[in-house]
């Protein structure tokens, strides 16, 4: 899968199902209705039945096509929707209008939730016209300041999702502001260490190189100018960012200046978790939903 | 000045002069020759006369148009070129092929250099087609991990350069990964403090707001969705980044994915300092030179 349109094709006709916690408001439901109309997924809506019906009507959605589970309490609805995914009745969990903390607590509930051995982390799929193929960015949204061990889990989560995309042995660039190891900058140390762990087979299913600058991660010409002899440099499939601060600024720079399409997803649980942002446009919301349905 | 072409118009015909330390190699001289042919500046070339003449020949430059100052030692050539700018014989200092540390030491030399009361900092001018006007990014290249006081100096340097661009009272967004103050993230604290200092008139000639996400700094729609009532949000002229790590990844994300033109400059000295990168293409090199000649 190298483009969002290929991703949509993969998901179509698979009869996927979303469990959505507290889907209130027109905007939230419009995205679900669009997914349904495009044959991507049906949704089980969990929360206050009255509010849900009102939202479906506001959005002009085909009410009879939705299953509603009445669970009006904030935590109650979140737990119920998580358990629908944990039990296999739905394929992905989606956050509606409720507090992120309550939602994630339910998603990670030991008994009913999607907790796995790993850490939850965030991935962005970015299709920029100038790059011409999907690249993955992680983690620019979830683990604020990951340490080395966290970064290993973030990479493992990324590799697992990459395999769903059919990316065999993905090339992972641990990016920083320079491609040299600088003892004063932890990001460059972690990047070099991850690269070393990759060479020793301690991180499997991928090839990691770092530190790499973003230029020499993405551009074969920039890599050649710097004389980098690397399987990853210039051809990165995955950009591992140092932390959320730098990763968020990097990803948003692409989102707001490039001709591009993108979506985001929380991975690392037993099933994907979709958390849309109010600021996302309709295309981004749908891309994110489809990422969760793969 | 809202575009690079306006910037070129401003500089043309002003008979500016560059002093270049150790301009060896075809690539370096080609940029100088292009600046000369376009009527932007003449150059005084400082370094080993034989190497300089060889480089001029390699680049097919008009040798008779260049003044050569023979100063073959690395430090000697750097100091001599800095002193040409300090004395007013040249308007901007440019680094050729020598160690950055030696070059900057000479540039900051107490007696012969360009040291002022401020800190040297780096600015990028970015003209992305989707933004439609120049924005300034600082500091994504010089002060690795600035503290609050450093950030005040970085802002003062930016405001000084903005005034050369004719940007009256520029809007400065102190960006982070969120637009809220998070006690765990120093970048958001500094941003809020700079914003407070701006409101109290402690930082003059500009309006600062922060923390702002990159989305709500650049996009009025994103700012409106988040309900930000701010003179800066959605209309930032200057993006103050938290540190070089995050700023470099942000700036390179634009450079390598957006349809854009850009250049960089070191400011904060008595005169501008131009430091090109090997990875810069010809247009970027020329943009950077012109930034130094304004």
């Amino acid at each position: 899968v190298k483009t969002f349109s290929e991703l949509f094709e993969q998901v179509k006709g698979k009869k996927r199902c979303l469990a959505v916690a507290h889907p209130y408001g027109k905007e939230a439901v419009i995205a679900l209705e669009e997914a349904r109309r495009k044959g991507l997924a049906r949704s089980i809506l969990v929360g206050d039945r009255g509010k849900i019906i009102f939202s479906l009507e506001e959005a002009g959605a085909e009410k009879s096509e939705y299953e509603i589970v009445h669970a009006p309490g904030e935590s109650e609805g979140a737990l119920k929707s998580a358990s629908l995914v944990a039990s296999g009745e739905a394929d992905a969990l989606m956050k509606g209008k409720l507090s992120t903390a309550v939602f994630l607590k339910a998603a990670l509930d030991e008994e009913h939730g999607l907790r796995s051995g790993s850490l939850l982390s965030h991935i962005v799929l970015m299709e920029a016209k100038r790059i011409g193929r999907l690249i993955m960015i992680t983690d620019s949204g979830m683990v604020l300041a990951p340490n080395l061990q966290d970064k290993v889990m973030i990479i493992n989560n990324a590799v697992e999702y990459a395999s769903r995309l059919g990316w065999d042995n993905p090339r992972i660039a641990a990016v920083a502001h320079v491609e040299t190891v600088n003892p004063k900058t932890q990001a460059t140390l972690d990047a070099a260490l991850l690269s070393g762990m990759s060479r020793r087979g301690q991180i499997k299913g991928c090839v990691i190189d770092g530190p790499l600058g973003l230029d020499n991660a993405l551009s074969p010409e920039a890599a050649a100018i710097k004389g980098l002899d690397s399987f990853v440099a210039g051809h990165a499939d995955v950009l591992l960012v140092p932390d959320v601060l730098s990763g968020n600024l990097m990803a948003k720079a692409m989102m707001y200046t490039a001709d591009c399409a993108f979506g985001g997803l929380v991975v690392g649980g037993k099933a994907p978790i979709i958390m849309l942002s109010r600021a996302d446009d309709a295309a981004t919301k749908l891309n994110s939903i489809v990422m969760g349905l793969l």
Side-chain angles (χ1 to χ4, degrees), chain A:
Chain A
V1 177
K2 293 283 178 197
T3 62
F4 272 110
S5 71
E6 286 177 37
L7 185 55
F8 276 67
E9 286 310 311
Q10 286 283 318
V11 169
K12 247 176 208 170
K14 288 214 169 140
K15 295 186 184 282
R16 298 290 197 213
C17 179
L18 288 170
V20 192
H22 301 289
Y24 310 139
K26 194 174 159 182
E27 282 298 313
V29 176
I30 284 175
L32 299 174
E33 178 69 358
E34 205 185 340
R36 189 191 66 75
R37 285 202 188 129
K38 288 190 188 292
L40 297 165
R42 67 189 178 86
S43 303
I44 304 173
L45 309 181
V46 184
D48 183 280
R49 183 182 298 275
K51 282 194 199 172
I52 291 172
I53 289 174
F54 182 75
S55 300
L56 286 166
E57 285 168 352
E58 251 195 331
E62 198 67 59
K63 267 192 288 183
S64 62
E65 297 286 334
Y66 290 86
E67 184 181 336
I68 299 175
V69 176
H70 185 62
E74 193 174 42
S75 174
E76 178 196 11
L79 270 172
K80 180 62 194 168
S81 52
S83 72
L84 285 169
V85 182
S87 69
E89 286 170 78
D91 302 294
L93 176 63
M94 182 165 150
K95 174 180 172 290
K97 202 167 186 175
L98 76 164
S99 123
T100 301
V102 171
F103 175 76
L104 286 176
K105 187 159 179 282
L108 290 174
D109 185 78
E110 296 262 4
E111 194 176 349
H112 304 288
L114 304 174
R115 188 185 286 272
S116 73
S118 185
L119 196 68
L120 289 189
S121 58
H122 190 260
I123 62 171
V124 167
L125 284 183
M126 168 64 60
E127 185 179 347
K129 204 178 164 192
R130 271 186 62 187
I131 308 291
R133 61 189 167 87
L134 284 173
I135 53 170
M136 192 190 297
I137 299 168
T138 193
D139 174 351
S140 63
M142 196 82 192
V143 187
L144 208 58
N147 62 25
L148 186 63
Q149 194 52 42
D150 295 336
K151 287 179 183 177
V152 172
M153 287 196 272
I154 288 168
I155 289 171
N156 286 335
N157 291 348
V159 169
E160 200 279 324
Y161 193 81
S163 77
R164 297 191 194 202
L165 290 165
W167 295 2
D168 187 38
N169 213 27
R171 305 179 196 215
I172 300 185
V175 294
H177 62 297
V178 281
E179 63 280 348
T180 47
V181 177
N182 180 342
K184 286 182 193 161
T185 311
Q186 190 61 40
T188 68
L189 307 186
D190 285 354
L193 293 167
L194 291 165
S195 185
M197 291 167 88
S198 173
R199 279 194 303 276
R200 285 290 180 270
Q202 291 172 267
I203 302 171
K204 296 190 196 306
C206 61
V207 184
I208 308 168
D209 192 17
L212 287 172
L214 186 60
D215 49 345
N216 40 60
L218 291 178
S219 155
E221 295 75 29
I225 287 170
K226 289 284 170 83
L228 294 166
D229 180 22
S230 152
F231 182 70
V232 176
H235 303 281
D237 299 307
V238 179
L239 303 172
L240 177 82
V241 297
D243 53 23
V244 166
L245 178 66
S246 57
N248 176 287
L249 288 172
M250 184 190 93
K252 282 198 180 136
M254 298 181 189
M255 292 169 183
Y256 284 85
T257 65
D259 182 355
C260 65
F262 56 90
L265 189 68
V266 176
V267 294
K270 284 185 206 155
I273 301 174
I274 300 159
M275 295 172 70
L276 306 182
S277 158
R278 279 179 299 165
D280 291 339
D281 63 17
T284 300
K285 284 178 177 151
L286 200 61
N287 290 342
S288 301
I289 289 173
V290 171
M291 283 172 66
L293 299 170
L294 182 65

